[in-house]
């Protein structure tokens, strides 16, 4: 507690959020929790020998309780149970553009119908004109509430939207009327200017893939990226390169800081850090405060504030403070996958980077330092996030290790080039030669990433992973540091015990699932799919093979990972079939 008080209190706060999310304590219990927290706060303020000795425990309990209380109020929404008709005339505005589908552009925003305000997801046909942030829109719409998934292995989209306080989906097929908004905030104006810059990128002469890459790597807009490119980044383990993360913020900060100290008068150089920090915060506001962006800006700011105050900067203090700022604003952010991966990656770098560097040659020049640190940082982050990646996505590619070694060393050059391109385009300075050079560079980059993604022999999917397995693997990663720093019998046995515990949990979980026999009827669009599981094998009977690829992605693969199935087969059945009989039981396929 003396060395890392903020980190320990942040962990207690997070545990309180998890506790409330699982137990869902009632309002009266929350009042009692608040009273206990108030009592703990009073006790901490008193000075006595006994209380001094227990102050650490009292503080941990106080922050645990604070997490429970705050998450209770962040989970409550008055819009969840509003009664609305299926067809309504609505007036709406958008606040964010989401990833598009084959048929629709998707937006997040607020609709007004009568005196009811609905925070919703809007589905607008792709052939309609793109919506912006400076208009109100009026139309007739079809309003639904997202349905809970049929089975436990499916992604719970209802819960995902509920964590963002979104409880309605609105489909638009009629003509949309518009009117200028007279209540624009600074945030709306920034969103609209970003929208304008995105449109200017579309008007350049670059190829479509280069445009979408530029939008994603600098402006955090991946809404129109094509499926093949997204698949290549995912399979190669380089999706973090396309998403705005700590690397991007640090590179942009470093670029501006370098320019300020090299090309400004001496009297202004002492303000270089302050100006650079102010710039990255403005940049973060411009592209939208995503988790990784906000975490990076807070950590960088805390780090340099410590330096300006002539205090020794501490990475874990910065990490804990950024977690507090984000979670106090919205505790639901804790359950965002990006939030979890972002913080785990930083913890992994802190914990494993230096031990890994011990096994590399001496870094006696700049090139070696950059190269070796790139490799060890990438490996540390991947190891720390691997358990959570397997838990959520059930897939991993060994080629991602090599892909990161090859691509990441060039990331700083690509980010700087992309940032300068965006700055020129936003200023309406469109130079054909520069566009061609950028297009050529990104074309080569995407070709290399595609080559890594095509190495299927190193790609593994349908990897089962439950919560207990995640904890045991994380413990093994935690113990790896001690073994790397000091290779001895004690540290080796500790790591081996963690691995053994993981294998025992995994074997037991697999044996438990393989004992089950299960027959399920799945609904996918208009398709009915019958799955028959016996032991570790399963057969899928599909009525319409046209959507086989999507069924494989959204039904078969998640089911196999959840049920720890060793193999599956796909069979065709008549689309007119209405019932199925298996072991004297009748299953309705209507």
């Amino acid at each position: 507690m003396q060395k890392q008080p903020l980190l320990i209190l942040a962990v207690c706060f997070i545990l309180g959020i998890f506790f409330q999310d699982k137990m869902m304590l009632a309002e009266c219990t929350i009042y009692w929790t608040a009273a206990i927290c108030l009592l703990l706060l009073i006790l901490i303020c008193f000075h006595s020998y006994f209380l001094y000795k227990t102050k650490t425990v009292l503080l941990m309990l106080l922050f645990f309780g604070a997490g429970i209380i705050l998450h209770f109020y962040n989970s409550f929404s008055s819009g969840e149970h509003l009664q609305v008709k299926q067809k309504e005339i609505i007036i709406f505005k958008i606040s964010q553009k989401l990833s598009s589908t084959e048929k629709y552009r998707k937006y997040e925003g607020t609709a007004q119908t009568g005196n009811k305000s609905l925070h919703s997801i809007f589905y607008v046909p792709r052939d309609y004109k793109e919506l912006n942030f400076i208009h109100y829109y009026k139309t007739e719409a079809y309003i639904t509430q997202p349905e809970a998934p049929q089975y436990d292995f499916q992604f719970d989209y209802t819960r995902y939207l509920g964590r963002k306080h979104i409880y309605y989906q609105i489909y638009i097929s009629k003509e949309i009327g518009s009117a200028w908004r007279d209540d624009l905030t600074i945030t709306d104006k920034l969103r609209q200017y970003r929208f304008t810059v995105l449109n200017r990128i579309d008007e350049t002469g670059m190829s479509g893939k280069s445009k979408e890459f530029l939008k994603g790597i600098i402006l955090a807009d991946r809404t129109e990226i094509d499926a093949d490119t997204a698949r290549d980044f995912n399979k190669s383990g380089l999706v973090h390169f396309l998403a705005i993360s700590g690397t991007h913020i640090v590179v942009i900060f470093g670029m501006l800081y370098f320019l300020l100290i090299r090309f400004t008068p001496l009297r202004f150089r002492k303000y270089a850090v302050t100006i650079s920090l102010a710039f990255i915060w403005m940049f973060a506001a411009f592209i939208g405060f995503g988790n990784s962006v906000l975490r990076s800006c807070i950590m960088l700011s805390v780090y340099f504030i410590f330096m300006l105050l002539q205090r020794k900067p501490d990475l874990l203090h910065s990490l804990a403070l950024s977690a507090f700022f984000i979670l106090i604003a919205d505790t639901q952010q804790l359950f965002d996958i990006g939030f979890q991966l972002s913080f785990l990656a930083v913890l992994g770098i802190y914990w494993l980077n230096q031990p890994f560097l011990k096994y590399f040659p001496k870094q006696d020049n700049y090139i070696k330092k950059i190269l070796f640190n790139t490799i060890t940082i990438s490996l540390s982050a991947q190891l720390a996030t691997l358990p959570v990646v397997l838990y959520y996505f059930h897939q991993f590619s060994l080629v991602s290790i090599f892909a990161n070694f090859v691509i990441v060393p060039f990331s700083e050059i690509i980010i700087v080039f992309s940032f300068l391109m965006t700055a020129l385009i936003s200023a309406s300075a469109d130079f054909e030669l520069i566009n061609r050079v950028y297009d050529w560079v990104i074309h080569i980059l995407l070709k290399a990433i595609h080559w890594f993604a095509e190495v299927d022999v190193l790609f593994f999917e349908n990897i089962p992973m439950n919560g207990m397995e995640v904890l045991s693997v994380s413990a093994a990663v935690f113990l790896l540091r001690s073994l790397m720093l000091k290779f001895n019998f004690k540290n080796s046995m500790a790591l081996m015990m963690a691995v053994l515990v993981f294998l025992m949990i995994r074997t037991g979980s697999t044996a438990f699932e393989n004992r089950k026999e299960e027959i399920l009827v799945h609904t996918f669009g208009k398709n009915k799919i019958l799955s028959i599981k016996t032991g570790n094998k399963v057969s899928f009977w599909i009525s319409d093979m046209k959507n086989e690829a999507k069924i494989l992605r959204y039904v078969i693969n998640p089911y196999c990972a959840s049920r720890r199935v060793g193999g599956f087969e796909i069979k065709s059945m008549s689309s007119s079939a209405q019932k199925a009989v298996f072991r004297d039981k009748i299953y309705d396929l209507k």
Side-chain angles (χ1 to χ4, degrees):
M1 185 71 175
Q2 292 179 353
K3 290 184 178 181
Q4 296 296 339
L6 283 177
L7 181 65
I8 293 171
L9 294 179
V11 170
C12 293
F13 185 70
I14 288 170
L15 290 175
I17 296 172
F18 271 120
F19 182 82
Q20 171 60 22
D21 196 72
K22 295 297 180 185
M23 302 303 295
M24 298 181 67
L25 300 180
E27 189 171 6
C28 60
T29 310
I30 295 298
Y31 289 147
W32 279 106
T33 305
I36 293 170
C37 286
L38 182 60
L39 178 62
L40 290 171
L41 185 60
I42 293 170
L43 289 174
I44 290 168
C45 293
F46 277 103
H47 297 283
S48 73
Y49 179 77
F50 173 74
L51 291 177
Y52 175 78
K53 288 294 184 181
T54 60
K55 187 173 287 189
T56 298
V57 177
L58 295 178
L59 271 171
M60 292 170 67
L61 290 173
L62 175 63
F63 277 80
F64 180 80
I68 293 174
I69 296 166
L70 205 57
H71 189 57
F72 171 80
Y73 288 105
N74 269 327
S75 301
F76 174 77
S77 176
S78 59
E80 184 175 1
H81 304 295
L82 293 176
Q83 296 297 320
V84 294
K85 297 177 183 177
Q86 282 194 333
K87 281 190 176 181
E88 291 269 14
I89 300 294
I90 62 169
I91 297 173
F92 69 96
K93 61 181 180 180
I94 64 168
S95 58
Q96 186 178 356
K97 185 183 177 186
L98 306 176
S99 296
S100 301
T101 65
E102 292 178 0
K103 293 176 62 177
Y104 296 103
R105 284 194 178 97
K106 292 168 60 180
Y107 301 91
E108 181 182 332
T110 305
Q112 196 76 27
T113 172
N115 60 351
K116 300 166 186 172
S117 183
L118 311 177
H119 192 191
S120 313
I121 300 293
F122 298 90
Y123 294 80
V124 181
R126 289 185 69 97
D127 56 350
Y128 279 35
K129 185 179 179 181
E130 197 165 356
L131 306 184
N132 59 45
F133 302 93
I134 56 175
H135 283 91
Y136 278 113
Y137 297 96
K138 184 177 182 179
T139 187
E140 184 181 34
Y142 181 74
I143 304 173
T144 66
Q145 287 189 294
E147 296 180 359
Q150 278 183 291
Y151 305 112
D152 60 346
F153 65 87
Q154 294 174 310
F155 175 64
D156 194 342
Y157 191 57
T158 304
R159 188 175 178 84
Y160 168 77
L161 291 180
R163 293 197 183 282
K164 301 172 72 174
H165 305 295
I166 299 173
Y167 302 102
Y168 298 92
Q169 293 173 295
I170 297 180
Y171 292 84
I172 296 170
S173 58
K174 303 288 185 180
E175 290 298 320
I176 303 174
S178 62
W180 290 94
R181 288 178 57 185
D182 57 1
D183 59 346
L184 290 175
T185 64
I186 294 175
T187 302
D188 292 323
K189 292 176 181 178
L190 282 173
R191 288 169 179 163
Q192 183 60 29
Y193 183 64
R194 176 171 171 265
F195 177 77
T196 302
V197 175
L198 291 171
N199 286 338
R200 287 177 183 172
I201 292 174
D202 284 331
E203 293 168 1
T204 62
M206 293 185 291
S207 65
K209 289 191 175 183
S210 295
K211 293 175 186 176
E212 297 308 325
F213 179 86
L214 179 57
K215 292 179 187 178
I217 197 171
I218 296 299
L219 297 176
D221 182 279
R222 292 186 288 166
T223 57
E224 299 295 336
I225 193 167
D226 66 278
D228 291 335
T229 303
R231 167 190 162 276
D232 287 346
F233 275 96
N234 283 317
K235 288 190 69 175
S236 62
L238 289 165
V239 70
H240 63 88
F241 181 52
L242 187 60
I244 297 288
S245 63
T247 303
H248 300 69
I249 298 299
V250 170
V251 168
I252 293 169
F253 173 90
M255 179 182 65
L256 183 62
Y257 180 75
F258 174 82
L259 293 173
L260 287 172
I261 62 174
R262 289 290 188 277
F263 303 106
T264 56
L266 185 62
R267 65 179 180 276
F268 292 119
R269 291 182 185 177
K270 60 182 178 180
Y271 302 114
V273 170
T274 306
I275 295 170
S276 301
L277 288 175
F279 180 80
I280 63 166
W281 278 104
M282 288 189 292
F283 177 73
F286 177 63
I287 63 174
F289 287 111
N291 280 327
S292 58
V293 174
L294 193 56
R295 186 262 307 161
S296 303
C297 289
I298 293 171
M299 288 186 63
L300 204 61
S301 300
V302 171
Y303 180 88
F304 280 102
I305 287 170
F306 270 76
M307 288 189 64
L308 292 172
L309 296 175
Q310 297 183 344
R311 298 278 299 276
K312 183 181 178 181
D314 189 289
L315 178 65
L316 294 184
H317 283 175
S318 304
L319 188 67
L321 278 174
S322 60
F324 272 127
F325 287 134
I326 294 171
L327 295 177
I328 287 171
D330 182 10
T331 56
Q332 297 289 358
Q333 292 293 330
L334 178 62
F335 304 95
D336 182 82
I337 298 173
F339 177 94
Q340 296 175 15
L341 293 178
S342 176
F343 278 82
L344 284 173
V346 175
L347 284 172
I349 293 167
Y350 170 83
W351 194 247
L352 295 174
N353 185 50
Q354 290 302 319
F356 274 131
L357 280 174
K358 281 186 60 179
Y359 293 86
F360 282 80
K362 187 178 179 181
Q363 303 168 56
D364 50 8
N365 61 56
Y366 180 77
I367 299 298
K368 287 183 179 180
K369 185 176 180 180
I370 292 294
L371 180 62
F372 296 158
N373 270 278
T374 299
I375 294 172
T376 56
I377 286 172
S378 175
L379 191 58
S380 301
Q382 287 190 68
L383 273 175
T385 56
L386 180 61
V388 175
V389 168
L390 294 179
Y391 178 75
Y392 285 116
F393 304 110
H394 306 291
Q395 64 182 34
F396 177 71
S397 178
L398 285 174
V399 80
S400 65
I401 299 173
F402 305 105
N404 276 278
F405 290 168
V406 174
I407 302 297
V408 171
F410 301 101
S411 61
E412 292 187 17
I413 299 171
I414 299 294
I415 291 169
V416 171
F417 195 2
S418 299
F419 183 83
L420 294 175
M421 284 290 297
T422 305
L424 289 172
I425 293 170
S426 65
S428 300
D430 189 7
F431 299 103
E432 186 178 351
L433 178 59
I434 299 177
N435 289 347
R436 287 183 178 181
V437 172
Y438 184 80
D439 204 7
W440 177 74
V441 170
I442 301 306
H443 177 74
I444 293 174
L445 175 69
L446 294 179
K447 280 284 187 183
I449 292 171
H450 177 72
W451 185 85
F452 283 115
E454 288 297 298
V455 185
D456 289 330
V457 70
L458 297 177
F459 181 72
F460 305 93
E461 58 183 348
N462 300 339
I463 304 171
M465 184 71 70
N466 59 33
M468 292 299 295
E469 289 170 319
V470 169
L471 291 175
S472 58
V473 173
S474 299
V477 173
F478 176 81
L479 294 169
L480 181 62
R481 173 187 169 91
S482 301
L483 184 65
M484 294 177 69
L485 291 175
K486 189 175 182 180
F487 190 87
N488 57 27
F489 178 77
K490 178 183 176 181
N491 293 335
S492 301
M493 287 303 297
L495 181 60
M496 288 177 63
M497 285 298 296
V499 173
L500 183 61
V501 168
F502 163 73
L503 293 175
M504 291 171 62
I505 294 172
R506 192 170 189 80
T507 303
S509 300
T510 303
F512 177 78
E513 288 293 340
N514 288 346
R515 290 181 62 186
K516 291 182 181 178
E517 289 191 352
E518 187 175 56
I519 299 95
L520 297 177
V521 178
H522 313 262
T523 302
F524 186 80
K526 296 181 179 179
N527 285 1
K528 291 293 183 181
I529 305 151
L530 180 69
S531 65
I532 302 174
K533 176 183 174 296
T534 53
N536 69 338
K537 303 291 182 183
V538 62
S539 297
F540 291 93
W541 297 79
I542 304 175
S543 60
D544 186 359
M545 289 293 186
K546 291 180 182 177
N547 292 321
E548 184 178 350
K550 288 185 177 180
I551 291 171
L552 182 68
R553 180 180 177 184
Y554 295 110
V555 177
I556 295 176
N557 285 344
Y559 179 86
C560 291
S562 173
R563 301 300 190 260
R564 299 173 182 265
V565 172
F568 65 88
E569 57 181 348
I570 299 175
K571 299 181 179 180
S572 178
M573 68 176 178
S574 173
S575 58
S576 61
Q578 296 184 352
K579 296 183 184 296
V581 180
F582 182 76
R583 293 187 178 175
D584 300 326
K585 289 188 71 174
I586 300 174
Y587 297 88
D588 192 358
L589 300 178
K590 292 181 181 178

